[in-house]
Amino acid sequence: MIRIGIDVGGTGIQIGVVNHEYTIIHESSIPTRINIPFEEQVKHITDAVVSTAEAAGYSIDDIESVGVGIPGIASAKTGEVIKCTNMGWRHVPFREVFNQYLDKPVFIDNDANVAALAESVAGVSAGSSSSVFITIGTGIGSGIIINNRIWSGAHHIGGELGHVIFDLDGVSCTCGNHGCLERYCSATALIRMAREAIADCPESMILQLVHQDPAKIEAKTVFDAAYAGDPIALSVYHHYIDCLAQAIANVVNFLDPEMIVLGGGVSKAGHFLLDPLVTEFRKYVLFNDQPLPQISLAVLGSEAGIIGAAMLS
Amino acid sequence: MIRIGIDVGGTGIQIGVVNHEYTIIHESSIPTRINIPFEEQVKHITDAVVSTAEAAGYSIDDIESVGVGIPGIASAKTGEVIKCTNMGWRHVPFREVFNQYLDKPVFIDNDANVAALAESVAGVSAGSSSSVFITIGTGIGSGIIINNRIWSGAHHIGGELGHVIFDLDGVSCTCGNHGCLERYCSATALIRMAREAIADCPESMILQLVHQDPAKIEAKTVFDAAYAGDPIALSVYHHYIDCLAQAIANVVNFLDPEMIVLGGGVSKAGHFLLDPLVTEFRKYVLFNDQPLPQISLAVLGSEAGIIGAAMLS
């Protein structure tokens, strides 16, 4: 028996065949199409599920379940997608329509929750019963695991760590509020801090690395320049680490999970990101004379979406 | 059969006999004594349990269980009190010693968690399976209920909402950090805001109510003056409500419980506090076009400590 994991993204939908050792044994993708009716979108997905299973040498009968991770909000209970802007979905009966085309148990959840589940079962937080997965990219998302289950909230709107107020009346956010955590802790924030810093110091290595074009600065640019010892980049890096350490401490002070897992593009900076955080977050934890959550880098990378979706039950 | 609930406070220890309808049928108290050995402290408590049960007309055999809420951190699993400054306890085997004097099932947890449990079973959040209880007094504490159980964290250090960073590099806190949430949302914060406001406006009714002595300002003073229409008090009140609305939204964005319950001294302001919050918190919630948690005032008051402790299991 196999499980199918589906990762719905903005440009493509990844479909993976996952075995009982949580390994993707075959994978395919179809483009995200939004200008067709919802029923047709689902039909494309179910067709791809069948063809992907068959390409891996399995029949429909071998499919134990299908799980779907979506960038949006969904009810794991009713199988309804409440909101998924990328697909143009609002209050669509996903499970119901899916089952009209393919009669298999189908489960659906938010993509950050799904990645959190994947890491907590087959990744770095395996063996823990509670964890918070923080994905640090353009924005900040998070997935919460409590007692080995996804906690997405009573109304499926939890895990939005990126939009927790972190700096009263602070930097304005795309959501319309001010001082949201992701304005200080995302890749976007790091890039903003770097641009602000080089405005006063045009000699920074950050600018050299992007051939004097600030529009080309990426998170990696800042980390590379800081790693090389550029003083401007180092000062931005230290400030960013300090913000992220406070964000991690916030999760500890409020929820105290067994582990905190860092994923997303920024986590590719590896130990240059992780090591100072592991030291720095402690000073912002109230009971920091106690055993504290372990902070780790995610290990499943982009596979977490498919593996975690396949694990949904 | 009866249950015993114990509320350990800074000046006294309240012991209550609680029936199966979650009603306190008899109550007594003993003074908090810290200058005696731990074993003696516990002996005083067990003696008081027996005498309180007897005074209510019950024998030791009628006691089903004993629960204890402490201002500090404790392991519900091992029965160890990890830290309780009021009693001078650090890593003491509470359950073990308690059982040497009284052989009954004994349970222990943090006092905010215990109050959260009480409200979620016998109070305003009864019937909900997830809630966050926020106690707003000198500081800010919180207790988290998920799937009908207290979630105190993997290391029993969760629920410290008051020390979540809410304003980067903001007002300095007693804990040593800056910008902690309780510096903006506690009674202490409201009083600080009022003192700052009247410094520029000595004609404020706030000062009249305390006979021109700023040291006498309490949370109630500000609410009373605002309710009476004093413009300075109203401006402080609106700012405070805005901060508290953002704090509530933070809990919604991250954890999305079914209900949020407001307790502690400040909650005595009743609907003058609650009504604007219920309107204001929505604008800080990311998915505010969805059904949102219900925000309510606690109803059990100071009895929550005893009732919740008696419910521990």
Side-chain angles (χ1 to χ4, degrees):
Chain A
M1 296 294 275
I2 50 159
R3 286 164 174 252
I4 303 291
I6 302 178
D7 186 6
V8 174
T11 54
I13 298 171
Q14 310 293 321
I15 295 126
V17 177
V18 178
N19 67 17
H20 278 237
E21 283 77 49
Y22 310 120
T23 306
I24 300 176
I25 54 177
H26 192 76
E27 196 177 336
S28 70
S29 74
I30 57 172
T32 302
R33 293 180 61 189
I34 56 163
N35 51 353
I36 53 173
F38 169 64
E39 283 73 13
E40 261 184 71
Q41 290 177 314
V42 179
K43 180 77 167 64
H44 281 290
I45 294 173
T46 55
D47 287 349
V49 166
V50 174
S51 65
T52 308
E54 285 173 353
Y58 292 93
S59 74
I60 292 181
D61 290 343
D62 297 318
I63 300 175
E64 201 175 317
S65 64
V66 178
V68 187
I70 61 146
I73 36 181
S75 167
K77 198 181 273 182
T78 65
E80 178 194 38
V81 174
I82 297 164
K83 197 175 193 176
C84 177
T85 311
N86 284 356
M87 298 296 288
W89 295 345
R90 274 189 80 97
H91 291 288
V92 290
F94 185 86
R95 186 163 66 204
E96 196 183 317
V97 173
F98 191 100
N99 281 150
Q100 287 170 9
Y101 299 116
L102 186 62
D103 190 22
K104 291 286 173 184
V106 57
F107 306 99
I108 188 159
D109 215 313
N110 166 271
D111 54 3
N113 293 339
V114 156
L117 181 64
E119 291 288 346
S120 79
V121 176
V124 70
S125 44
S128 72
S129 64
S130 60
S131 56
V132 172
F133 176 85
I134 305 177
T135 171
I136 313 172
T138 311
I140 297 263
S142 69
I144 301 169
I145 305 291
I146 288 183
N147 295 329
N148 299 303
R149 304 281 303 174
I150 290 173
W151 175 259
S152 63
H155 315 86
H156 320 292
I157 60 167
E160 293 297 342
L161 182 63
H163 294 280
V164 158
I165 303 296
F166 187 57
D167 189 28
L168 272 180
D169 305 316
V171 177
S172 65
C173 184
T174 49
C175 75
N177 289 318
H178 289 80
C180 290
L181 190 144
E182 68 176 34
R183 291 302 104 196
Y184 302 84
C185 300
S186 62
T188 312
L190 179 61
I191 294 164
R192 171 182 57 77
M193 291 173 192
R195 288 199 183 123
E196 285 168 5
I198 56 169
D200 296 331
C201 307
E203 74 283 8
S204 168
M205 186 194 285
I206 295 172
L207 267 179
Q208 291 169 29
L209 291 175
V210 293
H211 307 289
Q212 310 299 321
D213 182 358
K216 290 194 176 138
I217 297 172
E218 296 177 354
K220 188 177 184 306
T221 321
V222 187
F223 286 122
D224 286 350
Y227 194 77
D230 176 66
I232 304 307
L234 272 171
S235 115
V236 170
Y237 162 80
H238 287 306
H239 178 57
Y240 176 74
I241 292 288
D242 187 50
C243 289
L244 201 48
Q246 293 185 61
I248 289 170
N250 278 3
V251 172
V252 177
N253 281 324
F254 188 54
L255 206 58
D256 177 28
E258 204 171 327
M259 289 190 68
I260 293 180
V261 180
L262 307 179
V266 167
S267 71
K268 289 180 187 157
H271 281 271
F272 191 53
L273 175 83
L274 183 67
D275 294 351
L277 285 175
V278 166
T279 309
E280 291 298 308
F281 90 99
R282 303 184 68 94
K283 71 181 184 206
Y284 299 112
V285 173
L286 186 65
F287 292 114
N288 57 13
D289 56 349
Q290 298 301 315
L292 298 184
Q294 185 182 325
I295 320 294
S296 299
L297 298 168
V299 293
L300 297 175
S302 58
E303 291 197 340
I306 287 176
I307 295 175
M311 282 172 189
L312 291 172
S313 62
Chain B
M1 296 292 275
I2 51 158
R3 287 165 173 250
I4 303 291
I6 302 178
D7 187 4
V8 174
T11 53
I13 299 171
Q14 310 293 321
I15 295 125
V17 176
V18 179
N19 67 15
H20 278 238
E21 282 77 48
Y22 309 120
T23 305
I24 301 175
I25 53 177
H26 192 75
E27 198 176 336
S28 70
S29 75
I30 57 172
T32 301
R33 294 180 59 188
I34 57 165
N35 50 352
I36 53 173
F38 169 63
E39 283 73 14
E40 262 185 71
Q41 290 177 315
V42 178
K43 179 75 167 62
H44 280 290
I45 295 173
T46 54
D47 286 348
V49 166
V50 174
S51 64
T52 308
E54 285 173 354
Y58 293 93
S59 73
I60 293 181
D61 290 344
D62 297 318
I63 300 175
E64 201 175 318
S65 65
V66 179
V68 187
I70 60 146
I73 35 181
S75 167
K77 198 181 273 180
T78 66
E80 179 195 36
V81 174
I82 298 165
K83 197 176 193 174
C84 177
T85 311
N86 283 356
M87 298 295 289
W89 295 345
R90 274 188 82 95
H91 291 289
V92 289
F94 185 86
R95 186 162 65 204
E96 197 184 315
V97 173
F98 191 99
N99 280 151
Q100 287 170 10
Y101 299 116
L102 186 63
D103 190 22
K104 290 286 172 183
V106 57
F107 305 100
I108 189 159
D109 215 313
N110 166 271
D111 54 3
N113 294 339
V114 156
L117 181 65
E119 290 289 345
S120 80
V121 176
V124 69
S125 45
S128 72
S129 65
S130 61
S131 56
V132 172
F133 174 86
I134 305 177
T135 170
I136 314 171
T138 311
I140 297 262
S142 70
I144 301 170
I145 305 291
I146 289 184
N147 295 328
N148 298 304
R149 302 282 302 174
I150 289 173
W151 174 260
S152 63
H155 315 85
H156 321 294
I157 60 167
E160 292 298 340
L161 181 63
H163 294 280
V164 158
I165 302 296
F166 187 58
D167 190 29
L168 272 180
D169 305 315
V171 177
S172 64
C173 184
T174 49
C175 74
N177 289 318
H178 288 79
C180 291
L181 190 142
E182 68 178 32
R183 291 302 104 196
Y184 303 84
C185 300
S186 61
T188 313
L190 179 61
I191 294 165
R192 171 182 57 79
M193 292 172 192
R195 290 200 182 122
E196 286 168 5
I198 57 168
D200 296 332
C201 307
E203 75 282 8
S204 167
M205 185 193 288
I206 295 173
L207 267 179
Q208 292 169 29
L209 290 176
V210 293
H211 306 290
Q212 310 300 318
D213 182 359
K216 291 196 176 137
I217 297 173
E218 296 177 355
K220 188 175 183 307
T221 320
V222 187
F223 286 122
D224 286 350
Y227 194 78
D230 176 66
I232 304 306
L234 272 171
S235 115
V236 170
Y237 162 81
H238 286 306
H239 179 57
Y240 177 75
I241 292 288
D242 187 49
C243 288
L244 201 48
Q246 294 185 62
I248 290 170
N250 278 4
V251 173
V252 177
N253 280 322
F254 188 53
L255 206 58
D256 177 27
E258 203 171 327
M259 288 190 69
I260 292 179
V261 180
L262 308 180
V266 167
S267 71
K268 289 180 188 160
H271 281 270
F272 191 53
L273 175 83
L274 183 68
D275 294 351
L277 284 174
V278 167
T279 311
E280 291 299 310
F281 90 99
R282 303 184 68 94
K283 71 181 184 206
Y284 299 111
V285 173
L286 186 65
F287 292 115
N288 57 12
D289 56 349
Q290 299 301 316
L292 298 183
Q294 185 183 324
I295 320 294
S296 299
L297 297 168
V299 293
L300 298 176
S302 57
E303 293 198 338
I306 287 176
I307 296 175
M311 282 173 187
L312 290 172
S313 62

